[in-house]
Amino acid sequence: MAQQAAKTDSFAVRHHFLIRRLHSLCGLVPIGVFLCIHLTVNASINAGAAEFETQVGYIHALGWLLKPVEIMFIFLPLLFHGVLGLQIWFSGQPNVSTYKYGGNFRYMFQRVTGGIAFVFILYHLWHMHWLGAPFGGGKFIAHGEGMTESAATAMQDVVFGVPASVLYGIGVLSAVYHLANGIWTSLITWGITIGPLAQRRAGYACSAFGVMLAVVGLSGVRGFKTFEPEADSHMVGVDTDVPPPFVKTVSDPGGS
Amino acid sequence: MSKQVTVAVKRQDTQTSGSRWETFSIPYEPGLNVTTILQRIAANPVTVEGESSTPVAFDACCLEEVCGACTMRVNGRVRQACTALVDNLLAEQPDRITLEPMTKFPVVRDLHVDRSAMFESLKRVHAWITADGYFDRGAAPRMSQDAQEDAYPLTTCMTCGCCVESCPQFNDGSSFIGPAAISQAVLFNEHPVGKFDANARMEVLAGDGGIADCGNAQNCLKVCPKNIPLTQSLAKAGRAATKYVISRFLQK
Ligand code: HEM
Ligand code: HEM
Ligand code: SF4
Ligand code: SF4
Ligand code: FES
């Protein structure tokens, strides 16, 4: 058992509580909020390429700010939450084979889905993000000077064979479970839901949220899997050498 | 031949020695419980192979689930031996009853473990009311009926260890003080006189091994023989720690 925190203790021991609350907070904001926006934007492909492009355009309209924003509000929190999450996972001693309670399964799934999300995100970043380009990935090119295609056709190049769709399906479901259950536990962690009835009601709300976000996320996967650029009215007659009109407005904000 | 009950016991001679299984066969009697089984074995410690053995060491005191001394793993699940009825155990698993010591405490011998870690946790969270001193402080403030009813269940904790045994977050690799001590800290923080030491308790709850180490598996609630609303205490501790840390930060 640990002793009282003393000046000689390590930083991690002295600030244990704050670090854990920061871990919880990072999971909710920004990562959780990012996931909701990200999956919704992806699902907009179902409304056609034009809609998806417009949505991506809002994000990429940040221009040079995009990279710092990505790093500050997505990558650093994700790295912190993910690495500490793995450490938390391995500091516990799951025992679902002996104690087969719902809560115990949720506890274990929270860890397993976090682990899957970790691996998925690495694969996903390699697959689509410019970070993956040096390693033969980074297939999604929507921003910067190099963009000659529409975002949606770029997606078409990238993906979505059956194996990738299955991986994305698993990734989406894991991340969504992890967020929905994470919101439920965070309400206890922060002391918002105290009694059993409040916790049960929060459970219903989080489940409903999770089901909705899963539908949105999976519809995005399905949208990219079945999407055909030629068949999309927006794409008809688009000359691939000429950037679509949307790109001009983004890569050319006020002549920068 | 009368009906026999097969009992497998995990045995260990000293704290550091390895463990082994021994199997005994006991004549069935209606109303038999696990402590009685251990007494029957002590009366005739001969294994099913016919080898003579020694009485199985175990701890027990009240024999009515109020002291917590006889806590052990019965058929793998942690509970009190004195209220583990053989009829129920056989209904659940007919071929045999297995008895093992708890896994989260050092084994003294056989089924007898050293639960002082729990006592240390109680000391850490200052799980008592400071009532003695040089001055007469007068009568304590009265507690409302509602507050008494909220507090009463928490006072029934017998420090048996079931909750920490089932808690995935309480183990050698973590400094977590466990749900029982946290629940006691909440009990004394809500007591009109116990409140005087609330900050000392909050320092521990908001420190390393405190409430932040709970992973919300809620096993503790399920296994507690006293049906103590532990998850409610844990959430209250979470809320109090959130407030405490913010106000400590702002007041410095
Ligand atoms: C429907 C399935 C998904 C699709 C089609 C999809 C698509 C994309 C695309 C195209 C990018 C590149 C954006 C860019 O380079 O600017 C991206 C980035 C990213 N995705 Fe996904 N994604 C999906 C699911 C997920 C899931 C489940 C997560 C897990 C939390 C996730 C996490 C990320 C992260 C962290 C980035 C990098 C951040 C950024 O570039 O802003 N994605 N995704
Ligand atoms: C990158 C891989 C990830 C790993 C290894 C991971 C791991 C974990 C672990 C072990 C916990 C439980 C913490 C505890 O009980 O104290 C947790 C909680 C949480 N995670 Fe993650 N996670 C990851 C990614 C994510 C993502 C992508 C999101 C957002 C969608 C997220 C949101 C949350 C939330 C909201 C909580 C609840 C915090 C609380 O109970 O207070 N995590 N994570
Ligand atoms: S809280 Fe319940 S399980 Fe835990 S020590 Fe007290 S009585 Fe035993
Ligand atoms: S709710 Fe917390 S204290 Fe109780 S078993 Fe789960 S992790 Fe342990
Ligand atoms: S002997 Fe006291 S609880 Fe079993």
Side-chain angles (χ1 to χ4, degrees):
Chain A
M1 299 302 107
Q3 294 81 42
Q4 202 85 24
K7 285 266 182 294
T8 51
D9 282 328
S10 70
F11 182 85
V13 168
R14 277 182 289 129
H15 299 285
H16 184 75
F17 182 81
L18 283 179
I19 293 169
R20 291 297 283 269
R21 283 295 158 92
L22 195 59
H23 177 257
S24 171
L25 186 66
C26 279
L28 298 168
V29 188
I31 311 174
V33 171
F34 164 77
L35 186 69
C36 296
I37 297 174
H38 189 53
L39 293 184
T40 313
V41 168
N42 293 337
S44 71
I45 188 69
N46 289 301
E51 183 56 30
F52 177 69
E53 282 163 29
T54 314
Q55 297 294 334
V56 174
Y58 290 137
I59 301 165
H60 286 269
L62 284 170
W64 64 270
L65 258 177
L66 185 63
K67 275 185 199 179
V69 165
E70 261 184 348
I71 292 171
M72 271 302 292
F73 294 104
I74 303 174
F75 292 130
L76 284 181
L78 200 55
L79 200 66
F80 170 73
H81 180 92
V83 171
L84 187 60
L86 291 177
Q87 193 262 324
I88 294 171
W89 182 1
F90 296 119
S91 75
Q93 216 174 61
N95 54 14
V96 281
S97 54
T98 313
Y99 301 101
K100 299 185 175 69
Y101 307 128
N104 206 15
F105 280 106
R106 289 196 293 274
Y107 168 91
M108 192 195 61
F109 286 148
Q110 184 69 6
R111 278 135 186 83
V112 172
T113 54
I116 296 176
F118 197 92
V119 175
F120 169 77
I121 292 169
L122 288 179
Y123 156 77
H124 177 45
L125 291 181
W126 166 80
H127 188 203
M128 292 201 183
H129 199 263
W130 50 265
L131 282 171
F135 311 101
K139 304 248 172 69
F140 181 82
I141 305 156
H143 55 318
E145 316 276 284
M147 177 160 166
T148 53
E149 292 175 293
S150 78
T153 38
M155 285 301 285
Q156 188 64 6
D157 288 346
V158 178
V159 227
F160 259 94
V162 173
S165 310
V166 171
L167 289 181
Y168 273 78
I170 294 171
V172 165
L173 289 179
S174 298
V176 169
Y177 173 88
H178 190 85
L179 177 60
N181 190 55
I183 294 173
W184 184 77
T185 58
S186 72
L187 289 172
I188 304 172
T189 300
W190 292 82
I192 295 165
T193 48
I194 303 267
L197 183 60
Q199 292 182 4
R200 191 155 2 107
R201 286 178 178 154
Y204 297 139
C206 292
S207 309
F209 164 81
V211 170
M212 276 175 348
L213 193 59
V215 170
V216 170
L218 290 179
S219 78
V221 178
R222 193 204 64 106
F224 284 109
K225 174 84 182 68
T226 55
F227 171 69
E228 286 169 33
E230 305 79 36
D232 194 289
S233 62
H234 174 77
M235 311 302 294
V236 172
V238 171
D239 182 343
T240 42
D241 293 338
V242 181
F246 152 74
V247 176
K248 282 188 191 135
T249 59
V250 176
S251 58
D252 215 296
S256 69
Chain B
M1 195 175 130
S2 65
K3 188 175 157 193
Q4 297 287 115
V5 184
T6 308
V7 187
V9 186
K10 195 173 189 184
R11 307 203 55 175
Q12 178 171 335
D13 293 335
T14 68
Q15 270 208 28
T16 45
S17 63
S19 60
R20 63 180 190 281
W21 285 93
E22 280 182 3
T23 313
F24 301 91
S25 186
I26 303 294
Y28 172 84
E29 299 163 41
L32 207 59
N33 66 16
V34 169
T35 20
T36 324
I37 285 186
L38 291 166
Q39 286 163 351
R40 298 281 184 276
I41 293 175
N44 179 26
V46 178
T47 68
V48 284
E49 292 86 11
E51 283 165 34
S52 96
S53 184
T54 49
V56 178
F58 67 105
D59 213 351
C61 183
C62 68
L63 300 181
E64 54 176 359
E65 204 174 81
V66 290
C67 75
C70 66
T71 309
M72 61 182 68
R73 289 189 301 143
V74 180
N75 287 350
R77 250 181 112 263
V78 69
R79 59 185 299 176
Q80 278 69 48
C82 63
T83 45
L85 299 178
V86 167
D87 289 323
N88 297 345
L89 296 172
L90 291 179
E92 181 185 294
Q93 179 182 297
D95 68 322
R96 63 179 47 216
I97 293 169
T98 63
L99 303 179
E100 296 160 89
M102 285 193 274
T103 57
K104 306 281 173 85
F105 302 103
V107 171
V108 177
R109 188 185 164 115
D110 297 337
L111 304 175
H112 179 199
V113 298
D114 176 3
R115 288 177 297 142
S116 18
M118 293 201 72
F119 190 54
E120 292 306 316
S121 294
L122 289 176
K123 287 201 285 193
R124 273 190 71 194
V125 297
H126 200 97
W128 61 86
I129 288 168
T130 314
D132 47 353
Y134 290 109
F135 305 106
D136 180 2
R137 298 192 205 191
R142 301 187 74 125
M143 275 175 95
S144 73
Q145 193 68 33
D146 282 352
Q148 289 176 35
E149 277 165 20
D150 282 349
Y152 178 70
L154 310 195
T155 67
T156 62
C157 174
M158 54 188 179
T159 322
C160 65
C162 284
C163 52
V164 296
E165 173 70 17
S166 74
C167 173
Q169 295 288 105
F170 186 94
N171 59 59
D172 287 345
S174 100
S175 52
F176 189 33
I177 57 174
I182 291 175
S183 183
Q184 292 305 298
V186 169
L187 168 69
F188 289 110
N189 273 4
E190 288 184 354
H191 185 276
V193 181
K195 266 196 184 89
F196 296 167
D197 297 311
N199 286 355
R201 296 190 192 96
M202 290 316 303
E203 279 295 318
V204 181
L205 292 189
D208 184 50
I211 184 64
D213 278 315
C214 166
N216 294 308
Q218 304 202 332
N219 289 352
C220 51
L221 177 76
K222 295 276 183 182
V223 298
C224 174
K226 295 294 180 185
N227 292 321
I228 296 173
L230 290 168
T231 49
Q232 198 163 345
S233 294
L234 293 164
K236 280 182 180 171
R239 177 181 286 185
T242 308
K243 282 191 193 155
Y244 177 75
V245 168
I246 292 172
S247 70
R248 184 180 64 182
F249 177 75
L250 295 176
Q251 281 171 19
K252 257 187 188 163

